[in-house]
């Protein structure tokens, strides 16, 4: 390690047929030259290119059709990281940067996706993110947030309606 040979840096010298070269930047293509070395000379060698993997890119999540206990959540995947996606979907919770309540949407392509999330609690603020995974790992979009609709009042009654006053009573909806 750290030795120079010709115009490059020697990563490995020895008899092995594989070597790990950690610390490379994600999503970058590297030129590699494999040469045979003697005490004073080295062969022309074989040149190859290898690219490191990158995480998918999901800039912004989406939320539509928000109801009392449902919402349609999604995101747009603008880059796969150079390899096939293995999963995409959404996560949500009541705190920022959620990773729980993970649900795969079912697709594995770049582009926009969405799916319905159910069993939410009425009148609650939720944070959500889109996610996508590939062999490099899992990437999340930035946070979005929304409030589910509160429960609706029912049984509204007007009583004691006199001149300029009245009494109104109702049954409150769920929080």
């Amino acid at each position: 390690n750290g030795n120079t040979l010709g115009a490059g840096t020697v990563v490995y010298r020895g008899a092995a047929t594989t070597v790990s070269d950690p610390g490379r930047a994600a999503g970058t293509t590297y030129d590699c030259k494999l040469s045979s070395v003697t005490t004073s000379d080295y062969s022309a060698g074989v040149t190859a290119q290898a690219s490191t993997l990158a995480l998918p890119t999901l800039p912004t999540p989406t939320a539509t059709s928000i109801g009392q206990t449902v919402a349609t959540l999604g995101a747009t995947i603008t880059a796969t990281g150079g390899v096939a996606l293995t999963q995409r979907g959404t996560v949500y919770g009541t705190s920022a940067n959620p990773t729980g309540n993970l649900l795969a949407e079912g697709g594995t392509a770049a582009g926009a996706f969405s799916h319905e999330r159910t069993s939410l609690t009425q009148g609650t603020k939720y944070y959500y993110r889109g996610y996508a995974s590939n062999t490099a790992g899992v990437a999340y979009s930035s946070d979005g947030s929304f409030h589910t609709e509160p429960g609706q009042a029912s049984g509204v009654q007007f009583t004691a309606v006199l001149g300029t006053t009245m009494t109104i009573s109702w049954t409150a909806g769920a929080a």
Side-chain angles (χ1 to χ4, degrees):
N1 283 330
N3 297 322
T4 60
L5 179 65
T9 300
V10 174
V11 175
Y12 173 77
R13 277 190 187 177
T17 57
T18 62
V19 64
S20 178
D21 187 18
R24 299 289 160 208
T28 303
T29 299
Y30 291 93
D31 292 313
C32 304
K33 186 169 189 172
L34 308 172
S35 301
S36 176
V37 179
T38 65
T39 56
S40 60
D41 291 322
Y42 64 96
S43 68
V46 177
T47 302
Q49 272 192 340
S51 297
T52 56
L53 300 178
L55 292 172
T57 305
L58 300 84
T60 310
T62 58
T64 59
S65 303
I66 300 165
Q68 291 180 350
T69 61
V70 300
T72 300
L73 305 180
T76 299
I77 301 167
T78 57
T80 65
V83 293
L85 296 176
T86 55
Q87 195 175 75
R88 67 184 189 182
T90 58
V91 294
Y92 71 86
T94 55
S95 299
N97 299 313
T99 57
N101 299 302
L102 181 139
L103 180 64
E105 176 268 347
T108 56
F113 70 90
S114 64
H115 56 161
E116 186 177 76
R117 302 304 304 261
T118 60
S119 301
L120 303 174
T121 302
Q122 297 176 8
T124 302
K125 182 176 183 177
Y126 285 101
Y127 295 87
Y128 68 99
R129 301 192 289 179
Y131 77 88
S133 61
N134 64 18
T135 52
V138 179
Y140 294 93
S141 70
S142 58
D143 276 9
S145 66
F146 64 92
H147 284 87
T148 52
E149 293 179 6
Q152 301 298 311
S154 62
V156 179
Q157 295 181 359
F158 297 90
T159 57
V161 179
L162 305 168
T164 60
T165 65
M166 71 176 94
T167 300
I168 306 168
S169 59
W170 65 90
T171 302

